[in-house]
Amino acid sequence: MTRFSNELIRLELADGEENRTLCILFRNIGKLRQQMSLTDSQVDLLAFFAMIKMEKPLEEAADYIGDLNSPRLCRILADVLNYPQKTITNDLQKDSILISSGMVKIQKGLTYMSHKVELLDGIEDLLLKENTSSAEILDSFFHVATPSGLNISDFEHLQDDLEILLPVVKMARKKKIKGVNVLIYGVPGTSKTELVKAIAKDLKMKLYEINVEDSDGDPISGQVRFRAYQLCQRLLQNTSGIVMFDEIEDVFPDISNYIFFRENSGKNKGWINKLLESNQTPAFWICNSVHQIDAAYLRRFDYVMELKPPPRMVRDRIIRTNLHKLPVNEECITLLAKNEHLTPAQIHKAARMARLAKPTSSMTTEQIIRKVINNDLDLKGISGKVPEADKSRIDYDPDYLNTDYALPELVTGLANNPNGRICLYGHPGTGKTGFAHYLADRLNKPLLEKKASDLLDKYVGGTENNIASMFEQARQEKALLLLDEADSFLQDRSRAFHSWEVTQVNEILVQMENFEGIFFCSTNLMHNIDAASLRRFDLKIKFDYLTPEKTGQMFLQLVKAFGNPMAEHDLGQWGPRLGQLKNLTPGDFAVIRRQSKFLSKRMTAKEIFKSLERESQLKKDGSKKVIGFCA
């Protein structure tokens, strides 16, 4: 029986509020003793340190001794608690349960006892709480994570990563391998936390999460969270659990900030490195960005993975699950799924807001969802919005196109062998981009579309990184990749003024050659493209102006779309006049179709022709027309 156990018996037989407080302290330490397997001397040390913190007279008496180094502290504690000095010295070594768990910290250097000894922040308050359990005390620092509603199958787009992570974590737990740490980072809302929970569920392991706030809801500092992590690691070493340390930005602060840099420099840096090398329980560390984390820490993570917004097929499934039983049409789901910036958290939030707002809102469910998501994208500075469904658009039909290659044969060929590098060139509006969308739908593949503005970066090397990321994203999503405005990157290198113009071309050529999938480039300026770049394409397909026959067919379709009766034989009066407009494209007909939204009446065949004539004349190669007064 320890010295303080005897004191507990004496106090329980005595009266008084002070005795009652000490009695609660000793009882709680006794409960903690069982959970942490503390020895008699360790129990007495913890009780003594707690009493110093809670009793001002005792603290002043201890400080009266003067400055202490570690050997003198151990000698005095051995005398006070009546233990051999060697026992106390061992109890305060860095690998002892009290120190390695983070429950107690001994400051280096000469200082008073009240500063020399530091308890885990908040532990003394918990030890003075009546009728508490050891689990309740420990729950203030870490807790069993709430189960996820997702399964490992919901992360099929991460199959390559999971094929490594799942067996590694399982083997590390089985063989008690030290220092297994996984870093998962990515923009907010990409389900990083849910992924770790799904991993734990799949491995049938209990997941323990380090707290980010205390019992009062106040944030916990980075240093205290680190010590809570130490405690969790020590207690889980003989279990089958794993640890999740979420929101690690506060424990790996920006070293460019002087205050934080001073805190983590020198001895603390070495201590953190040791922490990442000696953990006996596999740990998952989660953050939104790794830019502020020192390279010395980063290299100690065994596996690092960036979690990006899920690919289109996964987004589609998440959207359908979240919008279940909401009155949302198929076109809205398609438009949502096409937005590559959409995260699971944004989808869930939009569905929740729609359910809350719909009973009284005059907006449609689709409008509410689009508004919530677009506001969120605005907040993050993302320009790619979820558009409204365009009811005025003309359905894409490749039969109308005028190309120098048989498109049906190309569709069949790519369906059988989905691998090719194809350059689509020609005048604006001739259907180049539309064909990539059409092909993706026919092959049931997601389309990843990028423009120059999506890739260009103001920093040297940034554009090259964005180009590489574009191809990597297409690989992960198994998507058909379309690079619009390709002439911005594949310009003739002999006319380059800057070295980075050459490196951008080189980067895209290297990525093209290594890409195993369908890659489209579209351009209106074929003459600007580097000759060596053109050789890398398997096909160069020209999209030209509509033939007179196709112009007539599209005119007939548009007239009917406006509700005007017209048969094929009625085209006779318009055929010759349409034939004079030799520079029309499918895009021109789409413009006329959109114009109908602004009109109070439907357009007649004559008005449609006049509009097409204006579109033709506005082009550089349009027919000349005298403007002004004529005699």
Side-chain angles (χ1 to χ4, degrees):
M1 186 173 290
T2 72
R3 179 172 180 173
F4 277 96
S5 296
N6 288 325
E7 182 65 14
L8 175 58
I9 295 173
R10 186 189 69 77
L11 289 169
E12 287 180 330
L13 296 175
D15 294 324
E17 183 63 29
E18 184 178 339
N19 291 337
R20 181 174 173 275
T21 301
L22 290 173
C23 193
I24 293 171
L25 171 67
F26 296 150
R27 278 205 200 97
N28 285 335
I29 289 179
K31 295 170 186 174
L32 208 55
R33 173 182 188 167
Q34 292 181 323
Q35 185 77 25
M36 299 182 65
S37 302
L38 300 177
T39 64
D40 290 352
S41 57
Q42 290 164 352
V43 167
D44 288 345
L45 279 169
L46 186 57
F48 182 71
F49 294 151
M51 288 176 64
I52 288 177
K53 299 298 180 183
M54 59 182 279
E55 294 292 338
K56 190 67 175 177
L58 184 57
E59 181 184 60
E60 291 176 349
D63 285 348
Y64 187 75
I65 300 172
D67 286 340
L68 298 171
N69 56 24
S70 294
R72 189 171 181 225
L73 173 67
C74 292
R75 188 163 61 248
I76 290 171
L77 290 173
D79 291 340
V80 171
L81 301 177
N82 196 23
Y83 284 101
Q85 184 177 340
K86 185 178 181 180
T87 299
I88 299 300
T89 300
N90 290 337
D91 287 339
L92 297 180
Q93 291 290 329
K94 63 180 181 180
D95 58 349
S96 70
I97 181 66
L98 289 179
I99 304 299
S100 65
S101 69
M103 190 72 74
V104 175
K105 183 177 182 180
I106 305 298
Q107 299 288 357
K108 294 183 178 180
L110 291 171
T111 185
Y112 291 150
M113 185 179 290
S114 60
H115 296 135
K116 187 77 174 173
V117 177
E118 182 182 313
L119 289 180
L120 180 58
D121 191 42
I123 191 68
E124 57 263 47
D125 293 335
L126 293 167
L127 292 176
L128 292 174
K129 186 177 178 182
E130 195 167 6
N131 297 322
T132 188
S133 64
S134 59
E136 189 176 350
I137 295 172
L138 298 175
D139 280 349
S140 298
F141 303 103
F142 61 89
H143 62 278
V144 177
T146 56
S148 172
L150 301 179
N151 298 310
I152 208 71
S153 58
D154 293 308
F155 297 92
E156 61 180 339
H157 55 294
L158 304 174
Q159 183 179 356
D160 291 345
D161 294 293
L162 293 173
E163 284 187 4
I164 298 172
L165 281 179
L166 292 174
V168 163
V169 175
K170 186 175 182 179
M171 189 60 67
R173 277 278 56 179
K174 182 179 179 180
K175 296 194 173 183
K176 297 182 179 180
I177 299 173
K178 291 184 178 182
V180 175
N181 292 281
V182 178
L183 175 63
I184 301 177
Y185 68 100
V187 296
T190 47
S191 296
K192 300 181 290 293
T193 303
E194 296 303 309
L195 169 62
V196 179
K197 291 181 178 181
I199 289 173
K201 182 195 292 188
D202 188 74
L203 294 174
K204 296 180 174 57
M205 294 180 181
K206 193 171 286 188
L207 178 65
Y208 293 86
E209 183 175 2
I210 306 302
N211 294 356
V212 296
E213 57 183 34
D214 59 22
S215 56
D216 295 325
D218 296 322
I220 301 175
S221 71
Q223 283 295 316
V224 173
R225 293 189 73 205
F226 257 141
R227 291 176 64 185
Y229 170 77
Q230 284 182 273
L231 179 60
C232 183
Q233 280 287 345
R234 185 65 190 232
L235 295 178
L236 295 184
Q237 61 183 5
N238 295 319
T239 71
S240 60
I242 54 178
V243 180
M244 178 171 66
F245 204 132
D246 205 348
E247 300 180 26
I248 67 172
E249 286 86 350
D250 58 347
V251 299
F252 292 110
D254 190 348
I255 60 173
S256 64
N257 183 304
Y258 174 74
I259 298 174
F260 287 130
F261 178 80
R262 180 178 57 189
E263 180 183 350
N264 278 322
S265 63
K267 60 179 183 182
N268 281 351
K269 189 171 184 179
W271 175 76
I272 292 174
N273 287 340
K274 185 68 175 178
L275 204 64
L276 290 171
E277 295 170 347
S278 60
N279 56 297
Q280 303 213 20
T281 300
F284 288 84
W285 305 74
I286 302 175
C287 64
N288 297 329
S289 172
V290 297
H291 296 303
Q292 85 283 6
I293 301 179
D294 192 296
Y297 302 144
L298 287 176
R299 70 181 182 83
R300 283 173 167 80
F301 291 103
D302 298 281
Y303 197 81
V304 177
M305 63 181 291
E306 181 183 8
L307 207 56
K308 299 177 180 179
R312 179 172 173 177
M313 287 184 289
V314 177
R315 287 197 302 271
D316 185 88
R317 187 174 65 245
I318 295 172
I319 290 166
R320 293 180 187 279
T321 300
N322 278 271
L323 303 186
H324 182 58
K325 293 185 178 180
L326 281 173
V328 178
N329 60 43
E330 190 66 27
E331 191 168 9
C332 177
I333 292 175
T334 301
L335 289 172
L336 289 170
K338 281 183 177 180
N339 193 303
E340 65 183 75
H341 303 292
L342 215 53
T343 65
Q346 288 172 313
I347 296 167
H348 177 75
K349 183 197 302 182
R352 179 171 175 266
M353 294 299 290
R355 288 189 171 91
L356 291 173
K358 195 62 192 85
T360 55
S361 175
S362 60
M363 298 172 67
T364 66
T365 301
E366 287 95 340
Q367 288 172 330
I368 295 171
I369 290 171
R370 189 172 62 254
K371 182 66 175 173
V372 172
I373 289 175
N374 285 342
N375 285 354
D376 208 49
L377 293 173
D378 271 336
L379 179 66
K380 296 174 181 176
I382 297 172
S383 58
K385 304 293 182 60
V386 178
E388 289 187 57
D390 186 3
K391 297 179 181 178
S392 65
R393 66 183 175 85
I394 296 177
D395 291 335
Y396 188 88
D397 188 345
D399 288 340
Y400 289 123
L401 304 183
N402 181 17
T403 62
D404 62 357
Y405 192 89
L407 297 183
E409 292 181 12
L410 178 61
V411 172
T412 302
L414 291 175
N416 295 329
N417 181 19
N419 193 318
R421 295 163 294 194
I422 302 166
C423 178
L424 310 178
Y425 69 98
H427 302 289
T430 49
K432 303 181 294 295
T433 302
F435 178 69
H437 285 264
Y438 170 82
L439 181 64
D441 289 338
R442 289 294 302 271
L443 301 184
N444 196 26
K445 280 180 170 290
L447 176 70
L448 178 61
E449 182 178 0
K450 296 287 186 179
K451 294 182 172 62
S453 57
D454 299 321
L455 303 176
L456 291 172
D457 194 285
K458 61 183 178 180
Y459 296 109
V460 175
T463 300
E464 290 84 342
N465 288 334
N466 291 340
I467 291 171
S469 297
M470 173 184 70
F471 280 93
E472 180 58 31
Q473 183 181 351
R475 287 189 192 93
Q476 290 182 353
E477 298 190 8
K478 296 179 174 57
L480 187 154
L481 178 58
L482 168 64
L483 176 59
D484 206 355
E485 306 166 2
D487 45 276
S488 300
F489 298 103
L490 296 178
Q491 57 185 313
D492 190 341
R493 283 173 287 188
S494 65
R495 292 185 291 177
F497 291 102
H498 307 285
S499 60
W500 48 263
E501 292 177 305
V502 175
T503 58
Q504 287 176 12
V505 176
N506 293 340
E507 179 65 31
I508 207 164
L509 294 181
V510 170
Q511 293 292 342
M512 280 173 59
E513 291 185 345
N514 294 329
F515 182 64
E516 296 181 358
I518 301 173
F519 174 55
F520 278 116
C521 277
S522 67
T523 178
N524 303 328
L525 304 170
M526 187 66 162
H527 58 278
N528 286 350
I529 293 185
D530 182 73
S533 302
L534 286 176
R535 290 198 300 270
R536 303 306 205 285
F537 289 101
D538 304 315
L539 280 175
K540 278 80 72 175
I541 303 176
K542 181 179 181 180
F543 284 64
D544 212 338
Y545 293 130
L546 292 170
T547 63
E549 178 188 4
K550 299 302 180 183
T551 299
Q553 291 176 4
M554 290 204 75
F555 179 78
L556 179 63
Q557 182 196 45
L558 193 55
V559 170
K560 289 181 177 179
F562 285 128
N564 298 303
M566 178 179 277
E568 194 78 40
H569 60 269
D570 294 326
L571 270 175
Q573 60 174 313
W574 299 106
R577 299 176 69 180
L578 288 167
Q580 293 177 3
L581 308 179
K582 300 183 182 299
N583 59 352
L584 290 180
T585 68
D588 296 322
F589 286 87
V591 169
I592 310 305
R593 187 71 176 90
R594 292 196 300 271
Q595 289 175 3
S596 65
K597 295 186 293 185
F598 315 122
L599 302 177
S600 58
K601 63 183 183 66
R602 65 189 185 187
M603 296 177 73
T604 63
K606 182 177 181 180
E607 290 169 333
I608 293 172
F609 175 80
K610 285 293 184 183
S611 295
L612 288 171
E613 191 176 39
R614 282 194 298 271
E615 294 298 325
S616 172
Q617 292 167 353
L618 286 171
K619 299 177 184 180
K620 290 182 178 180
D621 52 358
S623 57
K624 301 291 187 284
K625 184 174 181 180
V626 177
I627 300 177
F629 294 101
C630 299

